[in-house]
Each structure stands twice: as structure tokens, then as C-alpha cells.
Amino acid sequence: MGSSGINAEYMGSSGINAEYMGSSGINAEYMGGNTTAATGKGFAIGSAVLTSLALLAAFKTAASITTIDVSKSTVLAAALFGAMLPSIFAALTMMAVGRSAADMIGEVRRQFKEYNLLGTDPNRKIGTPDCDTCIAISTKASLQEMVIPGFLAIVAPLFIGYLLNGESLGGMLVGGITSGCMLAIYMANAGGAWDNAKKWIEAGGLMKAYNKE
């Protein structure tokens, strides 16, 4: 799994470097990096699911639960609640990334203008970028934006466990593991596929496919 991640980063970085140097034959390397990364994520997802199942078994033993019967209304309701949690986490983190990226873009644009980093004003000296401010924005966002997801991860099991019972909490965990596994596989493959599609279109693949060169 580690070698897959290293190979993916190497191939992706090689493609990006070649693009900056003006090479037009970079899409194979870049797309290969995405595909390799998706493979590595697949191994990570599999190991995470197995770990979650082991923790679920440990919870059942500690709570003296022999079966989790989803035909019970409380267990089924908890399982549906747990199945919704991965999508909520995904939505919160994606919105957080969007807000953080907007802040970073605003700061970069400010520095471009104030420090004349692009040399657009020939009467002014090209300044030095303020990297510390960008690092501070990223660090602050990574901490602040994860407060709500972290709070939800702590409160949700307590809410179900105290409101209903231990078996219902087990149902919530089963729903979360199942839904989270499917969502993770979808995101890992869809992200690489979208990025590969973008590179394919940039390389003129769409025009060639429809004979519009």
C-alpha cells in the first residue's frame, strides 16, 4: 500500500513537472498516477473496513451483545442513522475544503498585487511571497473546520447508545461501516476518473473522439 502511494505521487509529480516544462506528452504519466493512487486507496479502504469490523466485534463482546437484529424498529432506525453519517462527514469536509481554498486564493491574490510577485508593475520591485501567512491559513482551517465533524463523531454514538440501547448502537455502527465502505470506494474511483477525464479533454481527446480537429 505504501509503495502504491509513493508510485502514484512520483508519477503525478513527474507529469506536472513535464507540463511546466512545456511537454505535451504528460497525460499518460499523470493519469497513471491517478490510477495507481486509486489502487492504493482501495487497499486502505479494505484495511479500514476490516479494522472497523474488528472494533465492532470488540464492542459486541464488551457490551455482551450476541446478535444485532435489524428487524427491530430501534435497531433499523439506528442503522439508517449510521448509514447517513458518512455522507454528512463527506459533505462537511468538502465544504470545509472549499472555504479553506477560497481563503487561500484570496491571500495569494492579495500577495500577487501587494508584493508585485508576477511583475505586472514594472516600476516596482518584485517582492518575496509571505509563505507564513499561507501556512497559518491552512493550519487554522485544518483545526477549526474539523471541530463539527469531530463533535459529531463523538456525540452520535452517545446519542444512540443512551437514547436507545447497546444493540441499536451496534446497528448504527453496522450502517456506518457499510455505507462508509461504499462511499469511500465510489469517491476513490470517481476522483481519479474525473481527473483523468479532465486531462484527456485537455489533451484533445474529446475533439478527436468527435472528429472535430
Side-chain angles (χ1 to χ4, degrees):
M1 181 168 58
S3 61
S4 295
I6 294 172
N7 289 336
E9 291 298 325
Y10 172 77
M11 295 176 72
S13 299
S14 298
I16 293 173
N17 290 335
E19 185 174 7
Y20 279 126
M21 294 174 64
S23 174
S24 59
I26 52 87
N27 289 281
E29 283 188 339
Y30 194 91
M31 294 168 69
N34 281 332
T35 305
T36 308
T39 304
K41 292 172 187 175
F43 285 110
I45 293 167
S47 62
V49 171
L50 290 176
T51 303
S52 299
L53 290 176
L55 292 173
L56 177 62
F59 164 74
K60 288 179 60 180
T61 301
S64 300
I65 298 172
T66 55
T67 59
I68 299 176
D69 187 0
V70 293
S71 64
K72 296 179 180 179
S73 59
T74 54
V75 178
L76 179 60
L80 294 174
F81 177 79
M84 290 187 291
L85 288 178
S87 296
I88 295 174
F89 285 126
L92 289 173
T93 52
M94 285 189 286
M95 289 190 296
V97 169
R99 288 190 295 267
S100 304
D103 293 340
M104 187 68 72
I105 290 172
E107 173 61 23
V108 170
R109 286 176 174 173
R110 182 191 70 81
Q111 293 191 24
F112 280 166
K113 183 177 180 181
E114 291 187 8
Y115 302 148
N116 193 33
L117 296 179
L118 299 179
T120 54
D121 188 353
N123 298 322
R124 294 172 55 198
K125 180 181 177 182
I126 297 178
T128 303
D130 184 8
C131 299
D132 292 340
T133 302
C134 295
I135 294 173
I137 291 174
S138 179
T139 304
K140 182 180 178 181
S142 65
L143 295 175
Q144 287 185 345
E145 296 291 355
M146 290 307 296
V147 170
I148 296 178
F151 178 78
L152 184 61
I154 295 172
V155 170
L158 297 176
F159 174 75
I160 295 296
Y162 282 107
L163 179 66
L164 300 176
N165 50 49
E167 187 178 0
S168 299
L169 178 54
M172 189 203 81
L173 296 176
V174 170
I177 293 171
T178 305
S179 175
C181 177
M182 297 298 102
L183 187 64
I185 294 173
Y186 161 73
M187 286 185 167
N189 288 278
W194 286 338
D195 206 2
N196 286 350
K198 180 194 71 172
K199 284 294 176 183
W200 179 70
I201 293 172
E202 289 176 351
L206 188 62
M207 301 296 288
K208 294 176 182 178
Y210 288 93
N211 297 319
K212 294 183 178 180
E213 290 186 285

